[in-house]
Amino acid sequence: MDFVGHLTAHNIKPSLQRIKIYEYLHENRAHPTVETIYSDLVDEIPTLSKTTVYNTLKLFIDNGIASTVTIEDNEVRYDAIMDEHAHFKCDSCGNVYDIEMDISTIKFKKINSFKVETTNIYLKGKCNKCLTNKN
Amino acid sequence: MDFVGHLTAHNIKPSLQRIKIYEYLHENRAHPTVETIYSDLVDEIPTLSKTTVYNTLKLFIDNGIASTVTIEDNEVRYDAIMDEHAHFKCDSCGNVYDIEMDISTIKFKKINSFKVETTNIYLKGKCNKCLTNKN
DNA sequence: TTATAAATATGTAATGATTACAAACTTAGA
DNA sequence: TCTAAGTTTGTAATCATTACATATTTATAA
Ligand SMILES: [Mn+2]
Ligand SMILES: [Mn+2]
Ligand SMILES: [Zn+2]
Ligand SMILES: [Zn+2]
């Protein structure tokens, strides 16, 4: 994938930090937090600042190439996959998984004349692996 | 509604603070934050502490009579309505509305063998009122 | 190339929400 | 009434996020 081109196409000048943060987010599908992104990238970019991570993620969101995953009330995670999908968090291992779904299949009892712009679906429970490993 | 009975039935001793906080949450369907709950109730209970509001809400959640609404990554709201329903936040006026829905109608493309325990659906956009008032 | 301005990144300080904790108060039972 | 357990309170600590000033890099023009 052409990360530089993708950033440029969304009016984001491709600085080293921006490329690396975007690349990390796109490759790492675990929906990392700012802390995780920072601590994983600071090895590769020793001068990296946590403020830059915050600023860059905000820029990505404003320009439509990333979004937040607020499945827990005490941690903000980030996602570079913009195709519509739901999220599942295992309350045993803590992993957050992508769940494929077609949001248009959701049926509301009363459709108010509200104009819906974004939809987020968050599921919680026990993942496959944790169900199996349970002795 | 019998608030004292409801608390008691969920193993919560009905202190004055607990009754008032639960009553407020149940009557006020706007999904208030801790700050809102505290500042609205401190007039009636002058000795009320914000710590008590936090402790009490945690107790309600642990005992299954309240839940959090994390539709925004920078504010935690609370809800005493435990019947399954979705939430809609108007990004114009900021109100959070309840949306009736039957969660079982959601169709996932791949049903992993994950065990889903809770489902949260968050919508954002423009509410009825804001769409009409727009000149 | 060199000078200058704009854009970007950095480090530190400030803010704000939440939690930890110890002391004060209240309640229920002996 | 006495005592212990449960509850509430106020303050301090923690932690994530933002504000802001400075430093660095990049782009542009002379
Ligand atoms: Mn995702
Ligand atoms: Mn609700
Ligand atoms: Zn798991
Ligand atoms: Zn509105």
Side-chain angles (χ1 to χ4, degrees), chain A residues 4 13 28 126 131:
Chain A
V4 171
K13 290 196 182 174
N28 184 330
K126 301 272 183 297
L131 287 170

Side-chain angles (χ1 to χ4, degrees), chain A residues 15 17-18 47 51-52:
Chain A
S15 69
Q17 290 84 347
R18 289 168 179 179
T47 61
T51 301
T52 297

Side-chain angles (χ1 to χ4, degrees), chain B residues 13 15 17-18 47 52:
Chain B
K13 290 197 184 173
S15 69
Q17 290 84 346
R18 290 168 178 178
T47 61
T52 298

Side-chain angles (χ1 to χ4, degrees), chain B residues 86-98:
Chain B
H87 290 101
F88 177 98
K89 177 167 183 170
C90 175
D91 53 45
S92 180
C93 66
N95 287 344
V96 174
Y97 300 87
D98 287 327

